[in-house]
Amino acid sequence: MKTSGILRIGWLCLVVLTGLSSCAPKIYQLNPVSGDMARIEGRPTTKAEKDGITVVASFERLDLQYVALDIEVKNKTEHPFEVNPARFEYTALDEEQRTVFLNNQASQKPLMFSAADPIREADETEYKQDREVKRLKTAKVINTVLLAAAIVGDVASTSSRNNQRPERWVQNRMTYNNIYTAIQAKRMIDHGLFADRMQRYEYEVYRWKELSMKPTTLQPGESVRGLVYLPMSRDAKHMLVNFPVSEYESVMITFRQEWEKAKKRK
């Protein structure tokens, strides 16, 4: 090989490697920037209090389309306090922690998101599971009908073989073989989609029923802990998380949201 050819190949490899390095995966980061901050269990954690209600929060993970926060609510008052994770919400803030408005400030409505209601989400996911089972049953019936129709057509075509030219018979065989293959492929796709969706729904049911914070009534001195799921918005540089403790007062915590390039391993 000529030297110029080797140099071109080397240059091409360098360009490819450079492109791959520039496409390094990014890691989602969410860190508190307000309240009493500390590092607990290796994670940045913050604490804020209002009217005897304390909220301790840290970022757990990015879970599908949700930001999962590990939150503990403590009741330091002398009366019962109702905790509902669906009451958590956040306002999207920009880099300077100014409110982000809908439609690029065309309206004066802040960009806000409410936390998922675990009870409603669990019920909806179970409904999706039932619907998926019915969908698979319907697909099985359709596949059976298609297969029966194909067999009837194939038998009729084979029985009239003596009246067909050889090339016509070969063409019929190829056609019905393709039909059988297509029906089998559809059956496999139906079952594959069913398995994938049911696996996801099973995880979602587990998430809403086992991992998420549950609505509860805290007696004085009691606390509750669980995951609160907030919809993730790429328009927010900061998230001003709000949890109302009375008609006029709320516990507020600010998180900084960003995407960082993964560190290269040495």
Side-chain angles (χ1 to χ4, degrees), residues 41 70 86 100-101 106 118 124 144-145 156 162 170 182 192 226 236 244 249-251 257 266:
E41 298 176 354
D70 182 356
V100 176
F101 293 94
E124 184 175 343
T144 300
V145 172
N162 294 332
V170 171
E249 300 291 345
S250 298
V251 176
Q257 175 179 261
K266 295 182 178 180

Side-chain angles (χ1 to χ4, degrees), residues 23-264:
C23 297
K26 293 185 177 181
I27 299 176
Y28 180 80
Q29 297 289 338
L30 188 71
N31 294 311
V33 294
S34 71
D36 298 330
M37 292 183 287
R39 184 168 289 273
I40 301 176
E41 298 176 354
R43 294 184 299 182
T45 304
T46 186
K47 180 178 71 173
E49 184 175 330
K50 197 73 174 181
D51 292 347
I53 302 299
T54 301
V55 174
V56 180
S58 63
F59 171 61
E60 177 69 19
R61 63 177 172 270
L62 188 61
D63 193 330
L64 299 177
Q65 74 272 33
Y66 291 104
V67 174
L69 298 181
D70 182 356
I71 292 181
E72 181 179 10
V73 179
K74 301 178 181 180
N75 182 9
K76 295 183 178 180
T77 70
E78 297 179 354
H79 53 80
F81 178 74
E82 299 289 336
V83 176
N84 187 344
R87 297 183 67 194
F88 280 89
E89 61 181 16
Y90 78 87
T91 303
L93 306 179
D94 63 14
E95 189 71 35
E96 304 300 326
Q97 297 192 30
R98 295 171 301 193
T99 303
V100 176
F101 293 94
L102 292 172
N103 301 324
N104 297 321
Q105 297 188 356
S107 67
Q108 291 301 308
K109 186 177 181 180
L111 183 60
M112 301 181 66
F113 300 88
S114 298
D117 184 335
I119 294 179
R120 185 179 63 185
E121 294 293 340
D123 291 342
E124 184 175 343
T125 304
E126 290 178 339
Y127 167 75
K128 290 179 181 179
Q129 287 179 309
D130 293 338
R131 186 177 61 185
E132 203 61 39
V133 171
K134 293 178 181 178
R135 183 180 297 170
L136 181 63
K137 290 181 179 178
T138 301
K140 288 181 178 179
V141 172
I142 293 175
N143 293 336
T144 300
V145 172
L146 291 175
L147 182 60
I151 292 175
V152 170
D154 192 5
V155 170
S157 174
T158 302
S159 62
S160 60
R161 176 181 177 181
N162 294 332
N163 299 325
Q164 296 180 9
R165 292 176 297 177
E167 59 271 16
R168 178 63 178 172
W169 182 85
V170 171
Q171 183 178 357
N172 284 341
R173 289 272 22 97
M174 293 178 60
T175 298
Y176 281 101
N177 286 340
N178 289 336
I179 292 175
Y180 293 139
T181 300
I183 294 174
Q184 180 62 20
K186 181 180 180 302
R187 181 183 291 114
M188 294 176 64
I189 291 173
D190 291 337
H191 282 81
L193 289 175
F194 174 80
D196 290 342
R197 290 171 178 170
M198 290 299 287
Q199 185 176 17
R200 172 173 174 172
Y201 294 152
E202 286 172 4
Y203 166 71
E204 290 187 6
V205 169
Y206 172 74
R207 174 175 64 183
W208 301 126
K209 289 190 174 183
E210 303 297 333
L211 301 180
S212 64
M213 179 184 291
K214 305 300 184 294
T216 186
T217 300
L218 293 181
Q219 299 300 322
E222 292 183 343
S223 65
V224 62
R225 181 179 178 182
L227 297 183
V228 174
Y229 293 89
L230 294 161
M232 197 274 285
S233 171
R234 290 182 177 270
D235 294 325
K237 297 299 182 182
H238 291 84
M239 297 167 55
L240 178 58
V241 179
N242 173 76
F243 180 61
V245 298
S246 68
E247 186 177 356
Y248 304 104
E249 300 291 345
S250 298
V251 176
M252 294 188 178
I253 298 173
T254 303
F255 288 85
R256 177 174 177 80
Q257 175 179 261
E258 57 188 343
W259 294 86
E260 297 180 350
K261 286 187 177 181
K263 295 182 179 179
K264 297 180 181 179

